C-alpha cells in the first residue's frame, strides 16, 4: 500500500508538472512596429508604452505569475515588411502581436494570424476595414477607428461657419478612409470639399500642396497626416500663412509630439484627440503619475495612452483566460468589459472593436505647457459606431 | 503658377546641394556614396545643436565645417584605403556608414522629430504674384544658386579647380604632372560633405528633423546625378532644377503620378542617353 501511495503521489506530481511549468511560462509579446522611417516617432511611443506596461506588470510579480517578455522588430511602417517581421516574431514564440503603426500593416498581418497561431491587437491602426471586411477572429482593436473620428468630428463641423473645405491626407489606407468619411460628413452638413490632396508617405516638401489649398479658396483644411509628415506640413503651412488664413484641424494631427515639435505654431489648431493625459479620472491620473515617475519630465502622449490601454486589456484577458497561449487569449478577449484609463470599455463580439469614448479639442497652454486639451467628449455609445455587417466573425 | 515654379526651384535647390556632393565625391574617388543622405541628416542635427547654443547663422557655419571635417576623415579612413578595392566593397562600406551615422544620431538626439526655428531676418513673407511667399524659401533658392555659381567659378578659375577637373577626367596623367592627387581628393570629399552639411542646416527650418530624413532625399539626389550624368557638375545643376520643377508641377496637374515622375524621367534618360544629359564616354 505504501509503494502504491508513493507511486500515486509521484504520478500526481508528474501530472502536475506541466501545470506548474505553465504557470511559469512567460507572456511573450511581439511588437512589429516602425522603429525607423516617417512613423518612427509613433513607433517609439508605442514601444515606450509597452515597455512601461511590461515593467509595471513585472514589478507586481507578472500577470498571474507570468513574466511579461517583449521583443521588438522594425517594420518601417511598410506592410510587406510588417508581415515578415510579425511572422518572424510569431515563429520565435511571440504569438501575442501588438503595435504596428500603419493600417496597411495590420491588414497585411491579419490573414496570416490563424496560420501562425497568433493574435494581433491594433493600438494605432485606424482603417475601418480592420473591423469590417478585413476582420478576422484573431485581430482586435483598442484604439478609435476612422468611423469613430468621423462621428466625433461631425458635431464639431456642424458648428463651423466655413462652407468650403480641403482635405490634406497621407496617401495610405487610413488617409483615404479619413478623406472619404470627412467628405460624407461635410456633405451631410451642406458643406463642400473643394480639394483632396494625398501626399506620399515621407513627403519632404508640402509647399505645392499648401499652395493648391490656398488656390482652391477653401476656408477650412481637414488634415490626416501623422509623424514627420504632420510636422513638415504644419511648419510649412505656418510659413506660407495657411494656419493664419484658414481653419486647420485634423485627426492624428493634433498630437502631443506634433505640438512639441512645432511649438507655438500649433496654438489654436483643433482636432480629434483619442487620448489625453489631461483627462480627469482616477485611473488616468494614477497612470499619468506613474508615467511621470518612470519618464521624468514627460507626460504620456495620445499614442502612448492608447497603447497602454491595449496592454491593460491584454493583461486582463490573460487573467480571464488563465493562459498565455494566443488561442486562449483570443477566445477570452471578445465580449468582456475591461477597466482602462478611459473607464470601463467592452470588446465588442461582432467585430472585436473596443467600445470607448472619443474626444475633440484644441492646442492650448495647460499646466504651463502647450498641449492638446479636450474640449468636447463623445460618449462610447455614440463615438463607436455600430459594427459593420461586412464583419462576420461573431457566432 | 509663379509660386509653384518658385517652390520647384526651392526643392530643386536643396536637391542640387545634396547631389553636387555626390557628384564631387564620385568624380574624384569613383565612390557611389550611400552615406551621403546621412551626412545631410547629420548636418541638420549638428546645425540644430549649434543653433540652440548660438543661433541659426552659427548653425550654418558649424554644420558646414563639422561635415567638411568629417569628409576629410572619411576620405582618409575609408575612401583612400579602399580606392583599389572592388567598387562594391566601397559601396557596402558606405551603406554601413549610413547605418552607423543614423544610429549615432538616434542615440544622441532620440527618435522624436525636431525642428529648427527660422532666423528672424528671414521669417517674413514677400508678396509675389498676389500671393504671400516665405522669404526663407527665396533664401534657399539664392543659396543653391550662389553655391552653384561659386563652385563653377572655383572649378573654372582656380588652380585647385583645374586640378580637380583634370583629376576627374584623367587621374593618372594628373598625378604624373606633379599634382598631389591625395590632397586634391581629400579637399574635394571635404567640400562634398560640407555641401551636404550646408544642405542639412538650410533644410532645417523647412523640414522636420528625424534620423530617417536623409533617405528620401538621397534617392532623389541619386536620380539627379544619374539624369545629369555621373560626375557632371553642370548636369547635376540642370537635372536638379528639372526634377524639382517636374515633381512640383506633377503634384499640380497629375497628383496621382507625381511621385513616379523622377523615376520615369530617369528611365527615359537612361534609354535615350545612358551617360546622362551631359555625360560623356570616358
Amino acid at each position: 500500500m505504501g509503494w502504491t501511495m508513493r507511486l500515486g503521489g509521484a504520478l500526481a506530481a508528474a501530472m502536475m508538472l506541466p501545470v506548474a511549468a505553465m504557470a511559469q511560462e512567460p507572456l511573450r509579446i511581439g511588437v512589429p512596429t516602425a522603429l525607423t522611417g516617417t512613423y518612427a516617432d509613433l513607433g517609439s511611443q508605442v514601444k515606450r508604452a509597452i515597455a512601461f506596461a511590461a515593467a509595471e506588470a513585472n514589478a507586481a510579480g507578472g500577470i498571474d505569475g507570468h513574466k511579461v517578455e517583449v521583443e521588438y522588430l522594425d517594420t518601417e511602417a511598410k506592410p510587406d515588411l510588417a508581415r515578415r517581421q510579425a511572422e518572424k516574431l510569431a515563429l520565435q514564440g511571440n504569438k501575442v502581436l501588438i503595435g504596428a503603426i500603419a493600417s496597411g500593416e495590420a491588414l497585411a498581418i491579419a490573414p496570416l494570424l490563424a496560420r501562425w497561431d497568433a493574435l494581433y491587437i491594433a493600438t494605432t491602426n485606424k482603417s475601418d476595414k480592420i473591423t469590417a471586411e478585413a476582420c478576422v477572429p484573431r485581430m482586435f482593436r483598442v484604439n478609435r477607428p476612422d468611423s469613430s473620428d468621423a462621428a466625433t468630428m461631425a458635431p464639431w463641423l456642424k458648428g463651423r461657419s466655413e462652407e468650403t473645405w480641403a482635405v490634406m491626407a497621407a496617401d495610405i489606407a487610413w488617409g483615404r478612409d479619413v478623406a472619404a468619411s470627412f467628405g460624407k460628413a461635410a456633405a451631410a452638413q451642406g458643406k463642400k470639399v473643394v480639394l483632396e490632396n494625398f501626399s506620399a508617405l515621407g513627403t519632404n516638401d508640402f509647399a505645392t500642396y499648401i499652395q493648391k489649398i490656398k488656390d482652391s479658396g477653401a476656408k477650412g483644411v481637414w488634415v490626416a497626416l501623422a509623424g514627420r509628415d504632420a510636422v513638415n506640413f504644419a511648419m510649412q503651412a505656418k510659413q506660407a500663412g495657411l494656419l493664419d488664413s484658414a481653419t486647420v484641424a485634423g485627426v492624428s494631427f493634433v498630437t502631443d509630439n506634433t505640438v512639441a515639435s512645432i511649438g507655438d505654431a500649433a496654438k489654436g489648431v483643433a482636432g480629434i484627440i483619442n487620448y489625453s493625459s489631461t483627462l480627469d479620472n482616477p485611473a488616468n491620473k494614477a497612470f499619468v503619475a506613474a508615467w511621470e515617475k518612470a519618464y521624468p519630465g514627460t507626460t504620456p502622449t495620445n499614442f502612448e495612452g492608447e497603447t497602454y490601454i491595449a496592454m491593460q486589456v491584454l493583461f486582463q484577458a490573460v487573467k480571464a483566460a488563465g493562459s498565455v497561449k494566443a488561442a486562449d487569449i483570443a477566445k477570452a478577449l471578445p465580449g468582456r468589459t475591461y477597466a482602462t484609463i478611459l473607464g470601463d470599455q467592452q470588446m465588442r463580439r461582432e467585430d472585436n472593436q473596443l467600445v470607448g469614448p472619443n474626444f475633440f479639442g484644441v492646442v492650448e497652454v495647460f499646466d504651463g505647457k502647450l498641449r492638446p486639451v479636450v474640449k468636447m467628449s463623445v460618449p462610447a455609445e455614440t463615438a463607436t459606431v455600430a459594427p459593420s455587417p461586412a464583419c462576420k466573425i461573431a457566432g | 503658377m509663379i509660386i509653384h515654379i518658385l517652390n520647384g526651384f526651392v526643392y530643386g535647390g536643396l536637391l542640387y546641394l545634396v547631389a553636387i556632393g555626390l557628384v564631387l565625391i564620385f568624380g574624384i574617388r569613383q565612390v557611389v556614396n550611400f552615406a551621403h543622405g546621412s551626412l545631410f541628416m547629420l548636418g541638420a542635427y549638428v546645425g540644430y545643436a549649434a543653433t540652440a547654443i548660438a543661433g541659426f547663422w552659427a548653425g550654418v557655419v558649424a554644420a558646414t565645417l563639422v561635415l567638411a571635417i568629417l569628409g576629410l576623415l572619411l576620405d582618409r579612413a575609408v575612401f583612400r584605403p579602399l580606392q583599389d578595392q572592388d567598387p562594391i566593397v566601397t559601396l557596402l562600406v558606405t551603406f554601413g556608414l549610413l547605418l552607423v551615422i543614423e544610429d549615432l544620431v538616434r542615440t544622441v538626439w532620440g527618435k522624436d522629430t525636431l525642428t529648427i526655428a527660422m532666423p528672424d531676418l528671414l521669417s517674413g513673407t514677400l508678396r509675389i504674384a498676389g500671393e504671400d511667399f516665405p522669404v526663407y524659401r527665396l533664401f534657399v533658392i539664392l543659396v543653391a544658386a550662389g553655391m552653384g555659381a561659386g563652385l563653377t567659378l572655383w572649378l573654372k578659375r582656380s588652380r585647385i579647380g583645374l586640378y580637380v577637373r583634370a583629376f576627374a577626367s584623367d587621374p593618372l596623367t594628373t598625378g604624373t604632372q606633379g599634382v598631389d592627387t591625395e590632397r586634391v581628393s581629400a579637399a574635394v570629399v571635404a567640400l562634398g560633405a560640407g555641401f551636404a552639411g550646408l544642405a542639412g542646416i538650410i533644410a532645417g527650418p523647412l523640414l522636420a528633423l528625424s534620423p530617417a530624413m536623409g533617405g528620401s532625399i538621397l534617392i532623389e539626389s541619386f536620380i539627379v546625378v544619374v539624369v545629369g550624368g555621373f560626375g557632371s557638375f553642370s548636369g547635376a545643376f540642370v537635372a536638379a532644377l528639372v526634377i524639382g520643377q517636374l515633381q512640383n508641377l506633377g503634384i499640380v496637374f497629375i497628383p496621382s503620378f507625381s511621385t513616379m515622375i523622377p523615376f520615369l524621367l530617369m528611365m527615359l534618360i537612361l534609354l535615350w542617353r545612358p551617360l546622362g544629359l551631359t555625360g560623356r564616354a570616358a
Side-chain angles (χ1 to χ4, degrees), chain A residues 127-136 141 351 388-392:
Chain A
S127 172
D128 288 331
K129 286 180 190 161
I130 289 168
T131 42
E133 60 263 42
C135 76
V136 293
R141 169 158 52 197
D351 57 355
S388 163
C391 180
K392 303 188 189 309

Side-chain angles (χ1 to χ4, degrees), chain B residues 96-193:
Chain B
L97 273 171
L98 178 155
L99 299 177
V100 169
I101 294 170
E102 280 196 8
D103 268 351
L104 184 79
V105 167
R106 245 177 238 126
T107 308
V108 176
W109 284 283
K111 286 181 188 168
D112 291 349
T113 45
L114 304 172
T115 54
I116 297 175
M118 205 170 272
D120 290 341
L121 183 68
L122 304 172
S123 62
T125 55
L126 269 184
R127 200 87 184 145
I128 299 174
E131 295 281 351
D132 289 331
F133 192 77
V135 174
Y136 190 82
R137 287 188 165 257
L138 291 174
F139 168 71
V140 174
I141 298 172
L142 285 177
V143 170
M147 287 299 132
L151 184 68
T152 307
L153 281 176
W154 181 71
L155 287 168
K156 302 260 180 190
R157 299 286 169 86
S158 72
R159 180 165 289 271
I160 191 164
L162 176 70
Y163 295 162
V164 171
R165 283 185 291 135
F167 188 26
S169 55
D170 189 343
L172 196 63
T173 309
T174 310
T176 57
Q177 296 298 313
V179 175
D180 186 344
T181 53
E182 292 305 339
R183 284 185 70 179
V184 170
S185 298
V188 169
V189 174
L191 188 65

Side-chain angles (χ1 to χ4, degrees), chain A residues 46-132:
Chain A
V46 164
K47 187 178 176 184
R48 211 159 30 221
I50 291 172
F52 172 82
E56 191 180 50
N58 288 336
I63 306 300
D64 276 353
H66 299 285
K67 191 181 172 210
V68 181
E69 292 178 1
V70 191
E71 290 281 335
Y72 305 88
L73 283 179
D74 186 13
T75 66
E76 299 172 27
K78 293 175 181 166
D80 276 0
L81 187 55
R83 183 179 42 73
R84 291 202 300 275
Q85 299 293 52
E87 182 170 36
K88 200 169 169 185
L89 286 163
L91 295 182
Q92 285 169 351
N94 308 293
K95 291 182 186 290
V96 176
L97 301 168
I98 186 168
I101 301 300
S103 292
E105 298 181 81
L107 294 169
I109 290 170
L112 296 157
L113 289 167
R115 188 192 296 175
W116 301 335
D117 187 25
L119 68 86
Y120 174 72
I121 304 176
T123 70
T124 63
N125 314 131
K126 282 183 164 291
S127 172
D128 288 331
K129 286 180 190 161
I130 289 168
T131 42

Side-chain angles (χ1 to χ4, degrees), chain B residues 23 26 223-233 235-236 239 269 274-280:
Chain B
V23 171
F26 180 81
I223 296 174
V224 165
V225 174
V226 172
V227 169
F230 256 100
S232 166
F233 302 111
I269 292 289
L275 294 172
L277 282 174
T278 57
R280 289 186 300 271

Side-chain angles (χ1 to χ4, degrees), chain B residues 7-28:
Chain B
N7 281 326
F9 283 137
V10 173
Y11 200 59
L14 279 181
L15 283 181
Y16 171 69
L17 287 177
V18 179
I20 196 64
L22 280 170
V23 171
L24 283 165
I25 294 171
F26 180 81
I28 291 296

Side-chain angles (χ1 to χ4, degrees), chain B residues 248-262:
Chain B
N248 261 32
L249 295 177
I251 292 170
V252 178
F253 296 111
I254 39 169
S256 307
F257 297 98
S258 62
T259 49
M260 269 192 263
I261 290 173

